[in-house]
Amino acid sequence: MTDINVISISGGKDSTAMWLLALERDTPNLKVVFSDVGHEHPETYEYIDYLEKELGPITRIKPDFSQQILRKREVVDTKWRNEGVSETIIQQALEVLHPTGNPFLDLCMWKGRFPSTMARFCTVELKVRPMFDKVYVPIFGTGNHVVSWQGIRANESLSRSKMAETEETPEGYTIYRPILNWDVYDVFKQHDKHGIKPNPLYKQGMGRVGCMPCINSKKEELYEIARRFPEEIERVARWEEIVSKASKRGSATFFTSNDRGHGIHDVVEWSKTTYGGVQYDLLKLMEEVPMCSSQYGLCE
Ligand code: SF4
């Protein structure tokens, strides 16, 4: 049985640093995989192409929810009717419930809602499960063993600080976290050492470069996304209209509705306010968008 070292990359700093470490160690049987969730910034897709050109082949996988959406159409047509859901809601759901080929949007249409910090189904449905089904299972089928490299760091969160460097899973593969004890500066130093530029979004104020925005995006991150990439906000607003139609309640917002407002545009307005969310932060609003800004000191 051979160990196949599977590295999942996102276009972010940590997974890139981990790939570079694997190359530095001449790790055998490397398989590098990018799961395209359809909610990344275009510069991240370009960066994935750049990494492939510089470092080696990348297997791209794309989750597909066509079957789930087709089954949901049947549920809408039968169960929703039996439950007395209004004909208007049923008709608007049937109007939009067609697979678009965008994994994030199709997942949300199927679920009739966006993921949230309390219902974080996106990671499992868009990353963990497709990786298992499309990459690990075929490797198991050849009689080999999967070592899944994870680019997480202990100082990112309390839960991560408790994780072990290696872990055996009930599904029969090994998790390996080789950069668990690195800090963020080690990660960027690793890029420098190998002459690999970090994802350019890190010089445009982004702290993370996965989904844009992520359901976990903080106020400042959302403000930065909205002022630099308003087209991404407009895309999410269009998705809110579509997912609302696919929802039994007739309403779905990217961020949970609360005192920040209802819908992505309201939450962007809230991101422009001072602490407490009542007054606009005029100093912030008057500031010109800097060409280069980095939370990690990459502009100095
Ligand atoms: S980056 Fe955020 S929104 Fe995207 S899959 Fe992960 S948790 Fe969900």
Side-chain angles (χ1 to χ4, degrees), residues 37 39 104 115 120 122-123 126-127 208 210-211 213-216 254:
V37 310
H39 185 32
F104 201 104
R120 209 181 120 167
C122 46
T123 314
L126 294 166
K127 296 187 174 173
R208 65 173 96 210
C211 293
C214 169
I215 52 164
N216 297 318
F254 189 85

Side-chain angles (χ1 to χ4, degrees), residues 200 202-205 224 228 289-294 297-300:
Y202 290 120
K203 288 189 175 176
Q204 295 171 76
E224 201 63 41
R228 286 184 185 269
V289 183
M291 282 291 286
C292 187
S293 64
S294 165
L298 300 178
C299 300
E300 281 124 40

Side-chain angles (χ1 to χ4, degrees), residues 1-226:
M1 190 189 285
T2 306
D3 279 350
I4 308 296
N5 291 288
V6 179
I7 296 190
S8 168
I9 57 153
S10 62
K13 59 189 185 320
D14 299 312
S15 56
T16 303
M18 180 175 66
W19 186 5
L20 291 167
L21 181 66
L23 292 173
E24 196 175 288
R25 293 177 179 171
D26 283 330
T27 309
N29 307 315
L30 263 192
K31 186 172 179 68
V32 180
V33 184
F34 170 65
S35 183
D36 177 1
V37 310
H39 185 32
E40 290 92 348
H41 189 273
E43 288 194 44
T44 292
Y45 291 109
E46 284 167 24
Y47 186 67
I48 293 291
D49 293 342
Y50 160 77
L51 288 180
E52 183 162 51
K53 196 165 131 276
E54 295 294 323
L55 303 181
I58 297 173
T59 301
R60 290 163 172 78
I61 58 172
K62 201 169 182 178
D64 177 18
F65 300 100
S66 315
Q67 291 310 312
Q68 289 90 331
I69 288 181
L70 289 178
R71 279 200 297 278
K72 180 166 174 177
R73 287 184 67 81
E74 288 169 24
V75 170
V76 169
D77 221 2
T78 54
K79 196 156 170 267
W80 285 22
R81 276 217 166 80
N82 294 339
E83 287 173 2
V85 176
S86 85
E87 195 55 31
T88 310
I89 297 265
I90 288 173
Q91 285 309 323
Q92 68 185 21
L94 292 175
E95 176 202 326
V96 295
L97 278 170
H98 300 284
T100 65
N102 182 300
F104 201 104
L105 176 56
D106 286 354
L107 169 65
C108 297
M109 281 205 290
W110 165 40
K111 297 277 187 186
R113 60 167 296 173
F114 289 90
S116 69
T117 46
M118 300 297 285
R120 209 181 120 167
F121 53 81
C122 46
T123 314
V124 170
E125 296 290 352
L126 294 166
K127 296 187 174 173
V128 178
R129 191 165 291 152
M131 194 72 169
F132 187 82
D133 292 346
K134 292 174 189 269
V135 181
Y136 298 179
V137 170
I139 293 174
F140 299 154
T142 60
N144 290 319
H145 176 245
V146 171
V147 180
S148 171
W149 290 46
Q150 290 187 356
I152 62 170
R153 290 178 293 105
N155 65 7
E156 288 178 289
S157 69
L158 184 63
S159 60
R160 293 186 172 193
S161 71
K162 294 177 181 159
M163 290 180 175
E165 196 179 58
T166 56
E167 188 182 326
E168 298 304 324
T169 66
E171 293 80 11
Y173 64 91
T174 303
I175 295 174
Y176 176 43
R177 304 181 178 104
I179 62 165
L180 195 63
N181 296 315
W182 290 26
D183 67 23
V184 75
Y185 300 101
D186 297 325
V187 164
F188 286 113
K189 263 191 258 157
Q190 181 75 348
H191 287 68
D192 276 353
K193 185 175 166 188
H194 292 272
I196 293 295
K197 62 182 186 191
N199 187 316
L201 293 172
Y202 290 120
K203 288 189 175 176
Q204 295 171 76
M206 298 299 115
R208 65 173 96 210
V209 301
C211 293
M212 184 166 277
C214 169
I215 52 164
N216 297 318
S217 288
K218 300 279 183 299
K219 190 177 189 181
E220 280 306 316
E221 277 174 320
L222 186 64
Y223 175 70
E224 201 63 41
I225 291 171

